[in-house]
Structure formats: structure tokens, C-alpha cells
Amino acid sequence: MKIYTKTGDKGTTALFGGTRVPKHHIRIDSYGTVDELNSHLGLIRDQDINTHYKELLIHIQDRLFTVGAILATDPEKAILKNGKERLNIPKISEENIERLEQEIDSMNTALPPMTHFVLPGGHQTVSFCHIARCVCRRAERLASALNDFDPIDPLAMTYLNRLSDYLFVLARKLSFDLNANEVKWIPEKQ
């Protein structure tokens, strides 16, 4: 497989299905941000963390490829005129979302209750989680903007939303596991 095609040299790229759009199109920005998030999750997975978290992060990275495929697909090219799917695009399932929710609930049982906002940081691995959470929120905002004019699978939107929650709780849980200082945000009095 050749890496360079030269087809994007003039500032356009092809969506899944063949439609060409400018590289600054919101659809490209959406799935590009999901790709960026996926790279940040790889960075977290490369840290010295529990094997369970590593295995779940691999699963999440796989699901993010699915979200990326959904976002990279021109909806007009995905369905034939008879209503059948033309392209074999994977789907995000309710079970994928429920798995994140179960993981969030499981980690939360081991954590002290939240009484304040927390400042990102305390340990490099925790900081990586917070960066990934922020990139996930950006991916969600871009997908939401795309959805305003070109509807996307609502489960993909839900997955991104739940994933950012998971990453926040994972940051807290890793702070706990690593005995890192979780700094509470206390607003200054005026």
C-alpha cells in the first residue's frame, strides 16, 4: 500500500465513499480530532498502569476507529436508493456505552466523593488523562456541530460524551492508585 497518493495536494481529501471535500471541512476536523484523541489514549496506555486499564483502552481505541469511520462517511454515499447499506461501516452499540458506564461506576466506588472541582495534574499519567478528556470534549463539540447540518449516528455522539466522563474518572482513579495529590479548585474570594 502506497502511503502518499498526491490526491490531497490541492487541499482536498476523500471521505469514505469517495466524496471529495476541503481538508478544513468540519467532517475532516471531527474525525481528525477523534484520531488525535486515539493517539492520546495510546500515550496513556504506554504508561505504567494496571493491565485492566490498558486492555480497556485498547478496546476504546478500537471503538474510536469506528467513530472515526462514522464521521468520515458521506451519509449520501452510505445508503443505496433501496435503503440498504452500501458501505460496511461498523456501528457503536448501546453495549459499548454501557461498558464505559460500568467502568465509571466501578472506579467511582473506590474513590472519595467529589466535593470540589479538581485541577488537572498531580502525576504525568493523570495529566495525560486530562489532556485526552479535553480532546474528547473537543471531538464531541465538533461532532455536535457536524450533526447540526449533517446528522450522524446518535450513539457515536453518546459514546464520545460518555468517554470524556470515563477519562475524567480514570484520571481521578489513577491519582488515587498512584497516591498522587488531587488538588481541589478553591475559588479565591474577592
Side-chain angles (χ1 to χ4, degrees), residues 57-69:
L57 286 170
I58 290 172
H59 175 76
I60 291 168
Q61 287 182 289
D62 180 76
R63 299 293 77 218
L64 285 178
F65 263 84
T66 297
V67 171

Side-chain angles (χ1 to χ4, degrees), residues 18-172:
T19 304
R20 293 203 69 82
V21 297
K23 289 188 176 187
H24 61 271
H25 192 280
I26 190 166
R27 187 172 289 283
I28 307 307
D29 208 8
S30 295
Y31 74 75
T33 302
V34 169
D35 187 36
E36 180 184 351
L37 170 60
N38 210 330
S39 295
H40 282 289
L41 295 185
L43 183 61
I44 297 167
R45 191 169 45 86
D46 289 342
Q47 304 304 301
D48 185 20
I49 60 173
N50 181 298
T51 302
H52 173 76
Y53 301 140
K54 288 181 184 244
E55 290 170 359
L56 184 60
L57 286 170
I58 290 172
H59 175 76
I60 291 168
Q61 287 182 289
D62 180 76
R63 299 293 77 218
L64 285 178
F65 263 84
T66 297
V67 171
I70 291 166
L71 294 172
T73 302
D74 180 351
E76 292 181 15
K77 303 281 180 153
I79 306 293
L80 295 170
K81 290 183 180 166
N82 64 7
K84 292 188 178 181
E85 286 192 33
R86 176 179 163 245
L87 305 170
N88 189 18
I89 306 293
K91 304 282 187 241
I92 293 293
S93 68
E94 290 282 352
E95 291 78 21
N96 297 143
I97 295 162
E98 289 168 5
R99 184 168 183 190
L100 289 177
E101 291 171 348
Q102 291 165 357
E103 292 291 332
I104 290 167
D105 293 343
S106 175
M107 288 187 293
N108 258 334
T109 60
L111 295 172
M114 276 204 55
T115 58
H116 293 79
F117 288 107
V118 293
L119 300 179
H123 188 281
Q124 185 176 32
T125 305
V126 173
S127 295
F128 290 153
C129 286
H130 282 292
I131 291 167
R133 173 186 56 80
C134 292
V135 173
C136 188
R137 287 288 189 208
R138 179 165 29 99
E140 182 184 9
R141 290 190 304 272
L142 288 166
S144 175
L146 172 62
N147 189 59
D148 278 353
F149 71 89
D150 208 356
I152 61 171
D153 179 354
L155 291 178
M157 295 280 296
T158 302
Y159 190 81
L160 289 172
N161 182 269
R162 209 64 80 250
L163 179 56
S164 63
D165 296 333
Y166 168 80
L167 291 168
F168 176 75
V169 177
L170 179 61
R172 289 198 71 223

